[in-house]
Amino acid sequence: MTPLPIPLQEIPVTDSPYVLLFGGVYLLIVLGIGVWGYLRTESTEDFLITGKSIGTWVLALTAFSVIQSGFGFVGGPELVYSFGTTALWIFFTAPLGFIITWVLLAKRMRLLADIRDVLTLADGMYVRYESAWVRGLTAVAVIVGVMAYLATNLAALQYVMRAIFGLSVMWGLLIGAFILLLYSMLGGMIAGVWTDFVQAITMIFGSVFVFAYALSFGGGMSSISHNLATADPAFISPFGAMGAPTATIFTALGWWILFSVGAAGQPHLVTKFYMSRNLKILRWGAPIAAATYAISSLLAFSTGLSMRAMVEAGSTAAPKSASIVGPVFVLNHTPGAVAGLILAALLAAIMSTSDSFLNIGAAAVSRDIPRALGRPIDDDKTELRVTQAALAGLTVASTLIVFYSQTLVGILGTIGWGFFAAAFFAIAALGLNWKGATKEGAIAAILGGLAVNLFYSAVPHIADTAGLSGVSDFIGSLYPFTESFPVGTVALLVAIALFVGVSLITQDRRTVPEDIAVLLEG
């Protein structure tokens, strides 16, 4: 969901042969998928949207896996361990995001791919608003968000490679990035979709196994609840231990809006609809994705609560960092085969999600920016090669950022889920359902949403890094909500308000192509 936290360097290096075996097998599988994808790739359409070839289960599980990503193994257990049941408002309501996304976008985006030449989100937004500015701003936002996700994921990847294979951090980064680059360049989105599928299957089975072991480790839910309640009753209260009840309810609502509604603004999810074989297979995608997401969330729920209960009871040592609760639990309290499966799943989550971002980022560089500037690459083979070159460039740039500047990684880490939600939910999810949307409204929504996100998230971090704590404190004082209320939700709501307000003001300039008008009515 959000970029993985950098404290994954605390994951211990394992000496289990099972972990080494599962990790090695996974890397061989993804390389094999990359070669297979290469043999099936003949055009830019194949490379970016799989030639519209994927079926119901692959689409649904791919959608679930790119949203859950490494969050279910790292960020999720950290939230549950730190705040108790507060995090459940994310895990067991976020699946509604798939329903919302499918209802608002699935059919319309798939039809868009039939009636127009669209391969990227920016393509779709250009067709809807007939504006090079909308296309260009969409592409720029995608590139910035992709660089942020790639840098933070590669920063995490180096420590996971060290934990599995015993490599140094430097070699973990370089080898991991090279393998990611190799299979991404070879297979494009065909490889990405099928590695997402492998990741999803691994996550589902691994989560069920870990859930059983976590409950056993904690002595069952009654024992876990008793230990947590003894330490702090708020841990098992309806809204957890995040703060005062009223503020916590407000915060929980904010996170729910961000993760449920904001899902329809994630480009690596919504562009998957272009790839479906036909409209019929979209029918069952949402419930399958939602159900599998809920199942995979059992891992975060059980490991976070069980580890916190046993720490509070004095039965196990506290982890060095809350961000490694999930990996530490599976390494220390599950059989080697289960630990190997979960560490391989974490590796899969990082690499498959990175591959999805690489593909949409490369397309923004090679296709969206040139077209926004009025200089499209007309030859398909040339466009495909430029896309592959852009993919390589993004991988190398992100690797160099991680290698040379942890400070920049930290700044980029402030840009995540909320960044994309604010930039794209209004223009895509609302714009493809409302004829009254205008290009002026779309431009205002993108700029306004991004401005709020960067001002309250990235700028304070930059100020702190530069030693200007006064600037950071001043910006914090301007934030109208509690510190725990997500900035991404504020940016998302601002973007929606701007989108609707500016569109209403500029109705006299509204133009909707005839075929797009028919699509909007459907």
Side-chain angles (χ1 to χ4, degrees):
M1 279 184 162
T2 53
L4 294 170
I6 303 308
L8 279 177
Q9 64 254 39
E10 301 290 351
I11 296 179
V13 177
T14 178
D15 57 359
S16 169
Y18 291 102
V19 173
L20 183 62
L21 173 64
F22 277 93
V25 167
Y26 170 73
L27 293 181
L28 290 175
I29 288 173
V30 298
L31 287 174
I33 291 174
V35 172
W36 175 72
Y38 174 76
L39 296 175
R40 295 188 57 185
T41 299
E42 297 180 357
S43 66
T44 306
E45 180 180 289
D46 292 337
F47 193 82
L48 294 179
I49 60 170
T50 73
K52 304 174 186 175
S53 64
I54 62 177
T56 301
W57 281 91
V58 176
L59 175 64
L61 293 185
T62 295
F64 135 66
S65 67
V66 298
I67 294 302
Q68 182 68 287
S69 186
F71 182 80
F73 297 109
V74 182
E78 176 185 9
L79 280 176
V80 177
Y81 180 87
S82 300
F83 302 113
T85 50
T86 300
L88 301 187
W89 286 91
I90 297 174
F91 289 114
F92 297 119
T93 60
L96 292 175
F98 293 104
I99 309 296
I100 293 171
T101 303
W102 248 260
V103 169
L104 293 177
L105 286 173
K107 179 181 177 180
R108 285 169 170 77
M109 292 200 71
R110 182 58 184 83
L111 286 172
L112 205 59
D114 278 342
I115 65 177
R116 293 293 189 95
D117 176 29
V118 295
L119 304 181
T120 67
L121 179 60
D123 278 345
M125 295 305 94
Y126 174 77
V127 166
R128 169 62 183 88
Y129 299 104
E130 296 187 308
S131 167
W133 275 99
V134 172
R135 170 180 255 158
L137 288 172
T138 300
V140 169
V142 165
I143 293 169
V144 172
V146 162
M147 288 298 296
Y149 269 99
L150 282 176
T152 50
N153 273 273
L154 287 175
L157 176 63
Q158 61 188 342
Y159 297 113
V160 176
M161 291 287 287
R162 184 188 67 176
I164 294 175
F165 300 107
L167 300 168
S168 67
V169 171
M170 181 188 74
W171 284 110
L173 171 64
L174 296 179
I175 293 174
F178 176 74
I179 293 173
L180 172 65
L181 172 62
L182 187 60
Y183 86 80
S184 298
M185 281 190 66
L186 285 174
M189 194 56 79
I190 294 176
V193 163
W194 284 97
T195 52
D196 287 340
F197 182 74
V198 171
Q199 176 205 342
I201 297 298
T202 307
M203 289 172 72
I204 293 167
F205 282 100
S207 295
V208 172
F209 284 129
V210 171
F211 178 71
Y213 282 106
L215 289 186
S216 175
F217 173 70
M221 277 308 301
S222 60
S223 176
I224 292 171
S225 299
H226 174 75
N227 288 336
L228 291 174
T230 301
D232 183 354
F235 275 123
I236 58 170
S237 68
F239 291 96
M242 191 171 281
T246 302
T248 302
I249 292 172
F250 191 57
T251 298
L253 177 62
W255 284 109
W256 179 84
I257 291 172
L258 182 59
F259 284 131
S260 293
V261 177
Q266 305 304 309
H268 53 302
L269 169 61
V270 301
T271 52
K272 295 288 190 290
F273 297 130
Y274 291 154
M275 306 174 194
S276 62
R277 192 178 302 130
N278 52 53
L279 287 174
K280 185 178 179 180
I281 71 166
L282 295 173
R283 182 179 306 168
W284 294 103
I288 293 171
T292 50
Y293 182 99
I295 292 171
S296 72
S297 296
L298 292 173
L299 184 148
F301 166 72
S302 59
T303 57
L305 290 183
S306 182
M307 279 290 285
R308 188 58 184 255
M310 292 296 98
V311 168
E312 296 295 344
S315 300
T316 190
K320 293 180 180 179
S321 166
S323 65
I324 60 168
V325 164
V328 165
F329 176 82
V330 299
L331 285 172
N332 295 338
H333 304 293
T334 65
V338 175
L341 181 67
I342 295 301
L343 264 293
L346 177 56
L347 180 64
I350 295 171
M351 296 190 74
S352 65
T353 304
S354 298
D355 174 71
S356 292
F357 283 117
L358 276 172
N359 279 284
I360 63 173
V365 172
S366 66
R367 181 178 176 87
D368 299 330
I369 294 294
R371 291 182 179 226
L373 296 174
R375 300 176 65 86
I377 301 172
D378 295 321
D379 179 68
D380 185 73
K381 290 295 184 183
T382 302
E383 186 176 53
L384 174 59
R385 299 298 172 240
V386 174
T387 301
Q388 291 172 318
L391 190 150
L394 288 172
T395 306
V396 172
S398 300
T399 303
L400 291 175
I401 288 172
V402 175
F403 189 80
Y404 286 109
S405 180
Q406 287 299 310
T407 298
L408 186 53
V409 171
I411 293 170
L412 290 172
T414 64
I415 300 172
W417 179 278
F419 182 87
F420 281 144
F424 303 134
F425 172 79
I427 69 169
L430 299 185
L432 289 176
N433 287 275
W434 179 35
K435 282 186 178 180
T438 67
K439 64 183 180 182
E440 291 83 6
I443 292 170
I446 296 173
L447 293 177
L450 296 185
V452 171
N453 245 315
L454 295 174
F455 182 71
Y456 284 118
S457 295
V459 173
H461 194 102
I462 294 171
D464 283 335
T465 301
L468 302 173
S469 57
V471 174
S472 178
D473 292 341
F474 175 71
I475 292 174
S477 70
L478 297 177
Y479 191 58
F481 304 102
T482 61
E483 186 178 353
S484 59
F485 192 84
V487 171
T489 303
V490 178
L492 171 61
L493 296 176
V494 167
I496 292 173
L498 287 170
F499 181 71
V500 174
V502 174
S503 290
L504 290 174
I505 293 171
T506 56
Q507 283 297 292
D508 58 320
R509 305 177 202 171
R510 175 171 63 92
T511 59
V512 183
E514 185 176 344
D515 57 343
I516 303 302
V518 173
L519 182 149
L520 295 180
E521 291 172 354

